[in-house]
Amino acid sequence: VERKKWVELGVPAKIESWARVRDFLESYLEKRDCTPREQTQVLIAAEEIFINIASYAYEGEGGSAVVRLKLEQGNVLSLQFEDGGKPYNPLENEDPDIALSAEEREVGGLGIYLVKKSMDNVTYQYVDGKNCLTLVKRLKYAGTSVH
Amino acid sequence: MQVVLTGNQENKELQVEGRIDTGTAPEFQEKLMGGLAGAKKVRINMEKVEYVSSAGLRAFLNGQKYANKNGIEMILFNVADSVTEVFEITGFIDILNVE
């Protein structure tokens, strides 16, 4: 099987860039027959990761982020986020205690928890001074209309 | 994202439409808090919301905490599957009052 190349978008690592990233992801997913529900899951996961990078990776300094996408074997969607900020592995965050009452609940860590639970696989690597987080999701109905 | 508020001071209904994400959550929270203030019961119609990220969850949590503290009944109804899923994964389904 030929290894598919990534489609990518580079943006300033700022919260305002999220709209561009979302458009990029949406237009990719819309062409691939994925269900609205899967599209929402992927977009929410992407938002959590991207906003984290935009908020914390460069600690207030400017920097950039790259978002990559590919679809392999017809339905295996990979999303990759790369930034050159401080080394940070969000997968090391402790999972929130989801059994607490509203009063006891805190919102920290919910985003990455959502990502872990809604994607099939999430991996982190720090390579060549860059954080690289890869999300994999097996889509039910993808890849039938466009290559 | 839009919020339409109807009803009287004690019994209100918030009709929400659109995404509750990083961009819109602050505005949503402001409208939610405005709706809760002084009310006894606030029903939130979620029919036209397909997307709630953790920023949106934060707004709901703050609203629920305020409601609990002030003896206000906050109820979500017509919640879409994609949003129910987010509430289930995060345990919010047990914190919020979902009809």
Side-chain angles (χ1 to χ4, degrees), chain A residues 15 18 22 26 37 40-41 43-44 47-48 51 98 100-103 105 107 110-111 113-114 117-118, chain B residues 19 21-22 50-55 57-58 61 64-65 68 81-82 85-86 89-92 95:
Chain A
I15 289 172
W18 167 241
R22 191 180 61 210
E26 268 180 339
R37 189 163 175 178
T40 300
Q41 285 179 329
L43 289 174
I44 289 175
E47 178 187 329
E48 305 297 353
I51 297 298
I98 61 165
L100 297 175
S101 70
E103 282 62 38
R105 281 301 290 266
V107 284
L110 269 183
Y113 185 69
L114 257 179
K117 293 286 175 184
S118 60
Chain B
R19 299 172 200 264
D21 61 6
T22 302
E50 299 278 345
Y51 187 111
V52 174
S53 69
S54 67
L57 291 176
R58 189 173 300 131
L61 180 63
Q64 189 63 58
K65 282 182 177 175
N68 291 354
D81 287 350
S82 55
E85 192 171 28
V86 169
I89 290 173
T90 55
F92 271 56
I95 292 175

Side-chain angles (χ1 to χ4, degrees), chain A residues 107-144:
Chain A
V107 284
L110 269 183
I112 188 68
Y113 185 69
L114 257 179
V115 173
K116 284 199 240 174
K117 293 286 175 184
S118 60
M119 298 293 111
D120 292 308
N121 193 29
V122 187
T123 51
Y124 170 83
Q125 283 182 295
Y126 189 75
V127 185
D128 297 333
K130 287 179 174 164
N131 291 299
C132 187
L133 194 72
T134 308
L135 280 50
V136 176
K137 173 105 182 143
R138 283 176 189 279
L139 304 173
K140 280 182 190 139
Y141 303 105
T144 50

Side-chain angles (χ1 to χ4, degrees), chain B residues 27-97:
Chain B
E27 188 194 343
F28 171 69
Q29 182 171 315
E30 196 186 312
K31 300 230 161 120
L32 176 61
M33 290 303 191
L36 289 168
K40 281 192 176 161
K41 190 173 184 178
V42 175
R43 290 174 55 81
I44 306 168
N45 189 345
M46 296 286 289
E47 191 183 0
K48 291 175 179 168
V49 179
E50 299 278 345
Y51 187 111
V52 174
S53 69
S54 67
L57 291 176
R58 189 173 300 131
F60 279 111
L61 180 63
N62 289 332
Q64 189 63 58
K65 282 182 177 175
Y66 179 86
N68 291 354
K69 202 172 156 192
N70 294 282
I72 304 158
E73 214 181 331
M74 178 175 121
I75 299 158
L76 282 72
F77 67 105
N78 286 344
V79 182
D81 287 350
S82 55
V83 176
T84 300
E85 192 171 28
V86 169
F87 287 163
E88 281 173 352
I89 290 173
T90 55
F92 271 56
I93 201 83
D94 300 320
I95 292 175
L96 303 173
N97 197 348

